[in-house]
Amino acid sequence: MADVTTKKAGIPAVEAKGARIPLLGLGTWELRGRVCARVVEQALRLGYRHIDTAEMYDNEREVGEGLRGSGVKRDEVFITTKIWPTHFAPREFDRAVHECLARLRLSDVDLLLLHWPSTRLPLAETISVLVKAKRDGLARHIGVSNFSVAQIEEATRLSGVPLVCNQFECNPFVDQSALIKACRQLGMAVVAYSPIARGRVRDNELLSRIGAAHKKSATQVCLRFLVQQHMVVIPRTSKVERLSENAAIFDFSLSETEMASIAALARA
Ligand SMILES: NC(=O)c1ccc[n+]([C@@H]2O[C@H](COP(=O)([O-])OP(=O)(O)OC[C@H]3O[C@@H](n4cnc5c(N)ncnc54)[C@H](OP(=O)(O)O)[C@@H]3O)[C@@H](O)[C@H]2O)c1
């Protein structure tokens, strides 16, 4: 695996099946209204090049506003959105994707995900509507979220088009080793959501201790732990000052011993 430590400006990316996904993105769940637009705009000004939204977050309009307000060119930013399972029937899906694009005021997204597997519809049907959205030029890449090992295997078998990622909860407090291994075997990128355990990592003693040795916060150590394993992280913050903290994770490395001790947290 390539090194993900860089002193140069710019955020490294992970490559998966033709997609280049910036290793750091901004999560936007629960960011609404002016706060959302402002945080997205500031994040892009600070160098973030990846924004994660979803039709369910009810903030795509503000994400689009933030993008335009930042002055950063559209083709320099990687935008992900997700479709909720109640919209997986073919006509509904097509309409939902067009509505996402209208709210974002974009002609396509970089990555379109199935937000959760459907408990009602057969996977074959859902995958084919997702593939159609890509063929129709509405998404440059497609993928899934919250899929289990068996589900990513089946989805990959059913899709004639590469599924570039699985987005799921991943942080030092949850053991996702089996799912991570399966994604790697299938060549899918891992996109880690709730990467800082909804803010809880800040108070962790081990992460704080390791951070003190590197002059970094526990949150930065946590994010570094994930990106050093080539996982994409999408931490959310509503506070502009935390955007820089969460992005300063590419100028230091954790030792093998530190990585192993953090990995042991999930088993504790
Ligand atoms: N696919 C899915 O089903 C799914 C599910 C959940 C999440 N996601 C995506 O993943 C993103 C991230 O996950 P998440 O929002 O659940 O949680 P998260 O990013 O792990 O944590 C967000 C929380 O951490 C706090 N925080 C941020 N930076 C901090 C820092 N430097 N120090 C201390 N606290 C900090 C934030 O508070 P402040 O706002 O006060 O900074 C917020 O309360 C979401 O926003 C969404 O885009 C996807």
Side-chain angles (χ1 to χ4, degrees):
M1 282 192 189
D3 183 26
V4 293
T5 309
T6 174
K7 300 252 184 266
K8 285 181 284 181
I11 288 165
V14 71
E15 305 230 359
K17 302 185 177 190
R20 256 181 81 74
I21 311 176
L23 275 169
L24 172 71
L26 174 72
T28 67
W29 177 50
E30 289 189 327
L31 298 183
R32 297 257 161 73
R34 295 176 68 150
V35 171
C36 180
R38 181 165 162 268
V39 170
V40 169
E41 182 178 324
Q42 287 301 320
L44 293 170
R45 289 198 174 155
L46 284 167
Y48 282 64
R49 288 296 178 266
H50 173 182
I51 310 290
D52 182 83
T53 182
E55 59 167 347
M56 213 276 274
Y57 300 170
D58 192 21
N59 64 12
E60 290 169 308
R61 219 175 285 283
E62 289 78 12
V63 167
E65 269 170 38
L67 172 62
R68 287 185 298 282
S70 72
V72 177
K73 286 193 201 128
R74 162 67 187 104
D75 60 6
E76 288 178 17
V77 185
F78 192 95
I79 305 275
T80 301
T81 197
K82 320 180 192 81
I83 303 299
W84 196 248
T86 46
H87 296 151
F88 284 178
R91 262 204 222 141
E92 282 279 305
F93 194 89
D94 192 56
R95 189 168 55 87
V97 181
H98 277 99
E99 285 176 4
C100 291
L101 294 175
R103 285 188 293 268
L104 287 160
R105 284 176 56 192
L106 296 176
S107 55
D108 62 10
V109 285
D110 296 275
L111 182 56
L112 181 68
L113 304 181
L114 302 177
H115 205 144
W116 283 87
S118 170
T119 49
R120 273 188 324 116
L121 298 174
L123 189 57
E125 201 174 290
T126 313
I127 291 294
S128 74
V129 292
L130 180 67
V131 168
K132 181 176 178 298
K134 178 173 157 64
R135 295 222 167 100
D136 290 346
L138 307 178
R140 296 178 197 183
H141 304 284
I142 53 174
V144 296
S145 178
N146 296 300
F147 271 42
S148 66
V149 172
Q151 286 164 336
I152 52 170
E153 286 171 352
E154 194 188 348
T156 304
R157 204 162 26 78
L158 291 167
S159 169
V161 170
L163 299 173
V164 305
C165 82
N166 187 15
Q167 180 181 126
F168 52 92
E169 181 175 7
C170 198
N171 60 57
F173 303 154
V174 286
D175 180 7
Q176 294 283 29
S177 47
L179 195 47
I180 294 166
K181 188 172 163 207
C183 288
R184 298 244 153 94
Q185 279 167 348
L186 294 169
M188 297 169 100
V190 171
V191 179
Y193 78 59
S194 305
I196 53 174
R198 309 218 161 127
R200 281 190 299 124
V201 300
R202 184 178 51 166
D203 303 318
N204 182 268
E205 215 185 296
L206 174 74
L207 297 173
S208 302
R209 191 158 17 93
I210 294 175
H214 293 276
K215 298 195 168 57
K216 294 284 177 180
S217 67
T219 303
Q220 290 170 319
V221 170
C222 168
L223 292 170
R224 177 70 206 179
F225 168 73
L226 298 169
V227 297
Q228 199 161 310
Q229 298 172 76
H230 294 246
M231 294 184 213
V232 178
V233 294
I234 49 171
R236 157 181 57 106
T237 182
S238 56
K239 301 191 171 65
V240 167
E241 61 277 14
R242 283 181 170 166
L243 288 171
S244 324
E245 176 185 344
N246 295 350
I249 54 172
F250 298 106
D251 57 355
F252 75 113
S253 300
L254 298 169
S255 68
E256 271 181 40
T257 317
E258 288 168 333
M259 291 292 284
S261 62
I262 299 169
L265 286 174
R267 294 191 293 274

